[in-house]
Amino acid sequence: MSATNQNVFSHGMRDTRETLDAWSRHRWQVLRAWLALSLAIALALLAAVWVVAGLLTPDLTPIHLPGLTSPPEPADLLPILWRNSLVLALHGTACIAGFIAGASMPIAAAQRSGLSRWIHVKAGELAILFVCAVTLFSLGTQALYLGFQGSTIAFQLDLPIGTLLLSVLPHALLELTALFLPLAAWLIASRRGEWNQLLAATLVTVLIAIPALVVAATIKVYVWPHILEALSPVV
């Protein structure tokens, strides 16, 4: 069993190194596909937020928006970065699960027999189901959360939902596109059957997403409040 696990690990590391080497020669082609799909998912989510925000009852509790209701401070970035780091970790975990299911488990199962082989085969199938469940859960919860927040902010600032969504585009598109990069990489790899590339994809997409999320949070705290102030008739 130890030899089998070592073999699986070696295969995974070799595939990851080879993938990174291949991508280094065609990096824009790879990134372009990820970014395009991730942006499409982000736009779809914003459309869902528009619909959800129109259906939900806004909260009447006075909102607190740094930069609008209080002077912005660097500490205001922390809650935003914390929430986004959890979402990014969830999407990165889904990407790793895809690698385990599509690349590692078949190698491990081929070197086992009986019950152990059956368990490894089923574990790979469960990992795929996990990724699908994570994708749906992430999209659903974000649509509800952002829709509720949008409904509340739009009501209290006397803004149409559409106008509010336009105001968030400078940071929301950057933020959501970064968050969905690992899932975009998973979707592309699964469609092509390139499961062995997902570990490398996880590493690259997370490294790209982290600085993008910092920039998006900075725009949200220091720029977005001024946009809202210019648009809202009650501020």
Side-chain angles (χ1 to χ4, degrees):
M1 185 175 296
S2 177
T4 299
N5 291 336
Q6 183 63 36
N7 185 38
V8 172
F9 177 79
S10 298
H11 271 82
M13 292 301 99
R14 184 183 64 195
D15 288 342
T16 300
R17 287 194 298 269
E18 291 176 353
T19 299
L20 292 174
D21 289 339
W23 286 349
S24 66
R25 296 188 293 271
H26 307 283
R27 59 172 62 92
W28 173 238
Q29 183 178 353
V30 176
L31 289 175
R32 182 175 56 192
W34 290 347
L35 289 171
L37 182 55
S38 185
L39 178 60
I41 298 173
L43 291 172
L45 178 59
L46 288 175
V49 169
W50 192 344
V51 174
V52 171
L55 298 176
L56 295 180
T57 302
D59 187 357
L60 300 182
T61 304
I63 58 173
H64 170 68
L65 286 177
L68 189 66
T69 58
S70 64
E73 298 179 357
D76 295 322
L77 299 174
L78 298 181
I80 302 171
L81 294 175
W82 170 248
R83 290 193 299 269
N84 284 338
S85 67
L86 293 179
V87 176
L88 182 62
L90 183 66
H91 294 175
T93 301
C95 202
I96 293 174
F99 171 79
I100 294 172
S104 295
M105 283 301 175
I107 297 174
Q111 301 178 55
R112 287 173 165 83
S113 60
L115 180 61
S116 178
R117 179 185 179 89
W118 182 86
I119 291 174
H120 280 76
V121 170
K122 292 301 179 184
E125 296 174 356
L126 289 174
I128 296 296
L129 292 176
F130 168 76
V131 174
C132 295
V134 164
T135 303
L136 294 175
F137 174 80
S138 177
L139 290 172
T141 54
Q142 289 189 72
L144 288 173
Y145 174 77
L146 295 176
F148 179 70
Q149 292 292 318
S151 174
T152 298
I153 294 173
F155 175 78
Q156 296 197 21
L157 297 185
D158 194 20
L159 289 173
I161 294 295
T163 302
L164 179 65
L165 286 178
L166 288 175
S167 76
V168 305
L169 290 183
H171 69 267
L173 284 181
L174 179 61
E175 179 182 278
L176 294 174
T177 300
L179 287 175
F180 287 120
L181 273 178
L183 287 182
W186 181 87
L187 289 170
I188 292 173
S190 63
R191 182 172 58 86
R192 297 174 178 174
E194 297 171 341
W195 302 101
N196 60 325
Q197 297 184 2
L198 280 177
L199 194 58
T202 305
L203 175 64
V204 173
T205 54
V206 170
L207 288 178
I208 293 173
I210 289 174
L213 292 176
V214 174
V215 173
T218 303
I219 295 173
K220 184 175 183 178
V221 170
Y222 289 98
V223 177
W224 184 44
H226 296 291
I227 298 176
L228 291 177
E229 189 173 6
L231 294 175
S232 175
V234 298
V235 175

